[in-house]
Amino acid sequence: MIAPGGLGIGAADTGDTFRILHVSTGNVCRSPITERLTRHALSDRLGDLVARGLIVESAGTWGHEGAPMEANAEIVLADFGADATGFVGRELLDEHVIRADLVLTATRDHRAQVISMGHSAGLRTFTLKEFTRLVRAIDPATLPDPRDEGVVERARALVRAAAALRGWLLAPTPDADEVHDPYGAPITFFRSIGDEINQALDPVVTALTGMPPDPVRTSPSGV
């Protein structure tokens, strides 16, 4: 069965899922922005994420449980046309890590905290920018074709390939793998962090889906 967008049978038909977890500190700035930009980009290319078997969520190592995202984070998402509605902050729990197929963190400290929780998280936990760097080095032709095997199988293969490359492609500087915290900063800094996150996500979403972005829909508007 060919679904809208040109990809093959969906995960809703097989019961298979792939869960992406974004992690920052308070789960009110960086990880909500990353979660909703990821959903937005994936939806643009794939349509219904549930039908594709993709679940995108976030949590914080010191998460503000039940809190809304920061107002400036909502503005940043609106700039990109992404939806901020219905977001509720969460504290990172063991169950979130256990269920995640890919954990992408804002910083190396967050990555270390996730890995320290156990649950064999080491091979599927990366900083966002680290994962972007590794994904850029992976030949897309070596990954399953999502039209034949589905996006979930391609995503799992992508994580395995990135984990295999980790020791060979090191960050040029310690700061290169960090997304700095904009909490309490003016909107201009929030927007710079939003641009930084969006640029890091683009190659990841392209690798996950096998589909390039629409340049008209991936640039911020209203800035």
Side-chain angles (χ1 to χ4, degrees):
M1 178 182 72
I2 301 299
L7 296 182
I9 191 167
D13 302 299
T14 64
D16 211 1
T17 60
F18 184 88
R19 190 180 294 263
I20 302 170
L21 175 65
H22 293 292
V23 175
S24 63
T25 303
N27 195 214
V28 292
C29 298
R30 288 168 291 182
S31 50
I33 290 173
T34 315
E35 173 198 319
R36 295 307 175 95
L37 286 181
T38 303
R39 288 190 193 180
H40 181 63
L42 287 170
S43 295
D44 271 355
R45 303 185 210 190
L46 298 176
D48 186 347
L49 298 188
V50 174
R52 301 297 188 191
L54 298 177
I55 300 168
V56 184
E57 54 193 359
S58 63
T61 55
W62 290 87
H64 298 183
E65 188 73 28
M69 72 174 74
E70 284 288 294
N72 281 345
E74 292 191 8
I75 292 171
V76 167
L77 291 174
D79 289 343
F80 286 94
D83 186 8
T85 58
F87 179 84
V88 178
R90 305 190 304 174
E91 183 175 356
L92 181 66
L93 302 176
D94 289 85
E95 65 190 63
H96 301 145
V97 177
I98 291 168
R99 293 185 300 178
D101 297 286
L102 171 62
V103 184
L104 297 176
T105 70
T107 69
R108 292 171 298 156
D109 282 347
H110 296 133
R111 181 185 63 195
Q113 289 179 67
V114 172
I115 293 172
S116 73
M117 295 171 73
H119 315 303
S120 304
L123 292 178
R124 49 194 168 90
T125 303
F126 309 80
T127 73
L128 171 62
K129 288 185 173 181
E130 174 192 22
F131 195 65
T132 301
R133 182 175 68 254
L134 297 171
V135 161
R136 287 184 184 276
I138 297 168
D139 181 355
T142 64
L143 300 173
D145 189 330
R147 294 170 296 182
D148 298 328
E149 300 183 54
V151 176
V152 168
E153 284 306 311
R154 183 181 178 94
R156 288 176 175 162
L158 183 69
V159 173
R160 290 193 299 268
L165 284 174
R166 180 162 18 207
W168 299 93
L169 288 175
L170 302 178
T173 66
D175 198 52
D177 282 344
E178 306 284 293
V179 176
H180 296 292
D181 192 355
Y183 185 78
I187 186 59
T188 50
F189 188 65
F190 264 85
R191 281 182 163 140
S192 71
I193 292 298
D195 288 340
E196 192 176 322
I197 290 170
N198 189 63
Q199 290 173 23
L201 281 174
D202 178 62
V204 172
V205 173
T206 297
L208 283 169
T209 64
M211 300 174 66
D214 180 345
V216 174
R217 302 188 70 176
T218 54
S219 299
S221 59
V223 180

